[in-house]
Amino acid sequence: MLRTKIVSTGSYLPERILSNSELEKMVDTSDQWITERTGIKERRIASNDQAVSDLAFEASKLALERAQISAKDIELIIVATITGDMPVPSSGCILQDKLGAVNAAAFDINAACSGFIYGLSIANAYIKSGVYKRILLVGAEVLSKFTNWKDRNTCVLFGDGAGAVILEATDGDQGIYSVDIYSDGSFANLLNLPGGGSKNPPSPESLKNELHYLQMKGNETFKVAVKTLEQLVISTIEKNNIKSSDIKLLIPHQANLRIISATASRLGMDMSRVMVNLNKCGNTSAASIPIALDEAVTSGRIEKNDYILLEAFGGGLTWASALIKW
Ligand code: COA
């Protein structure tokens, strides 16, 4: 049976570490509040001259090296991001040029924190239909440049980073078993970045009204996230006719440790079988799952034929899951 297999992973985190104790000096917050409410201890911040494509480039280079292929072998580049270099051209095209992936088509997708799994869904459809055999999928964000550093409700949450995977067509038993994506635009106001688009184009007024920053109704989003993700993971294992005990590792989007624990608990999974790195990275939106996946692979937490479950929830609202046999 034709399947889509992840043949390699790569990730990149900017050097600069911003700790909770530094944030204590910037806004009215405390290490204790951030740790207890989110699980985050520190996050990475891109330098002034680093854009999303620069982070994506580093992660992609590593994934290409590990797959032992040239950038010229890539047929399609998908970049999942909400913080692209600029509205046009896409960060996918900028990345294509940086990599020298001259034979690839390239585009970006916006599904916020679910972007990486949305990208998997697109890549899987292309590969299973025979259109492409080898795709580079990247989740990359520089959220720090769209963060209101005076707003304690949001500035403690986000971080920058990138993760990349190479996907190939395979006839074997390993690869993507299911990938499901969902949206509900009626909740658009829970998490948005209202400025800079055609509704609120950049202007002195949009700047004055702070429309170019990420805004989130955290508590309302939290409640919808927990409920939605609990249903999502149960339906994913049921549709694949497996038990949660069959899953070697749950790799969730890294938004909040309390959301992750609630999802794991609904599956009856001990936290030792859950990949958590938000303590070091914060919420990196579309980048969080491929960064966590890369860490899981390189630290030996996943072996051949293991089932891994990916799940995400984010702005849109969007949510998504994937079951993969490694
Ligand atoms: N430091 C100290 N206090 C803070 C704070 C901070 N950084 N941020 C908010 N507070 C305060 C609030 O002002 C509020 O005070 P009040 O009761 O006097 O009004 C209090 O803490 C509780 O705020 P609340 O928003 O109810 O907290 P919470 O338990 O919901 O935690 C989040 C806030 C953002 C951590 C949590 O809601 C969350 O993670 N939301 C979902 C994130 C998510 O999944 N997003 C989608 C994917 S990106």
Side-chain angles (χ1 to χ4, degrees), residues 23 31 43-44 46 77 93 115 125 128 151 162 207 239 245 281:
L23 278 166
D31 174 41
R43 68 288 291 144
R44 298 298 182 103
I77 296 172
C93 285
K128 291 197 78 157
D151 175 16
L207 278 176
K239 83 177 265 188
S245 54
C281 302

Side-chain angles (χ1 to χ4, degrees), residues 1-12:
M1 184 181 176
L2 185 63
R3 284 191 199 282
T4 306
K5 187 178 172 192
I6 296 177
V7 297
S8 73
T9 62
S11 66
Y12 172 77

Side-chain angles (χ1 to χ4, degrees), residues 29 33 37 113 152-153 216 218-219 256 258-259 283 313:
T29 191
W33 191 96
R37 296 305 228 182
C113 304
R152 68 174 185 175
N153 290 294
M216 180 166 67
N219 194 264
N256 187 308
R258 290 182 292 144
I259 299 177
N283 178 349
F313 182 90

Side-chain angles (χ1 to χ4, degrees), residues 33 37-38 152-154 157-158 187 189-191 215-228 255-256 258-259 313 317:
W33 191 96
R37 296 305 228 182
T38 71
R152 68 174 185 175
N153 290 294
T154 52
L157 304 174
F158 302 114
F187 286 109
N189 68 328
L190 289 188
L191 208 176
Q215 303 176 359
M216 180 166 67
K217 296 191 171 73
N219 194 264
E220 285 171 65
T221 310
F222 183 95
K223 286 176 194 153
V224 188
V226 169
K227 204 169 134 224
T228 307
N256 187 308
R258 290 182 292 144
I259 299 177
F313 182 90
L317 293 174

Side-chain angles (χ1 to χ4, degrees), residues 216-326:
M216 180 166 67
K217 296 191 171 73
N219 194 264
E220 285 171 65
T221 310
F222 183 95
K223 286 176 194 153
V224 188
V226 169
K227 204 169 134 224
T228 307
L229 288 171
E230 287 183 352
Q231 287 166 0
L232 176 67
V233 290
I234 295 296
S235 71
T236 305
I237 62 164
E238 281 177 1
K239 83 177 265 188
N240 284 286
N241 287 315
I242 61 163
K243 300 185 290 298
S244 55
S245 54
D246 296 325
I247 297 165
K248 175 73 176 295
L249 198 63
L250 172 67
I251 305 184
H253 167 52
Q254 309 282 313
N256 187 308
L257 188 57
R258 290 182 292 144
I259 299 177
I260 295 173
S261 309
T263 312
S265 151
R266 182 70 184 84
L267 284 168
M269 286 178 74
D270 188 85
M271 287 303 281
S272 62
R273 286 198 289 141
V274 182
M275 187 65 208
V276 174
N277 67 0
L278 90 169
N279 52 317
K280 295 177 292 186
C281 302
N283 178 349
T284 57
S285 193
S288 86
I289 291 180
I291 293 171
L293 175 65
D294 184 46
E295 190 179 328
V297 172
T298 52
S299 62
R301 291 187 71 177
I302 313 175
E303 285 162 6
K304 197 175 166 188
N305 291 324
D306 283 343
Y307 278 119
I308 59 168
L309 176 59
L310 316 183
E311 51 88 344
F313 182 90
L317 293 174
T318 58
W319 58 103
S321 71
L323 183 79
I324 297 170
K325 191 173 198 179
W326 197 252

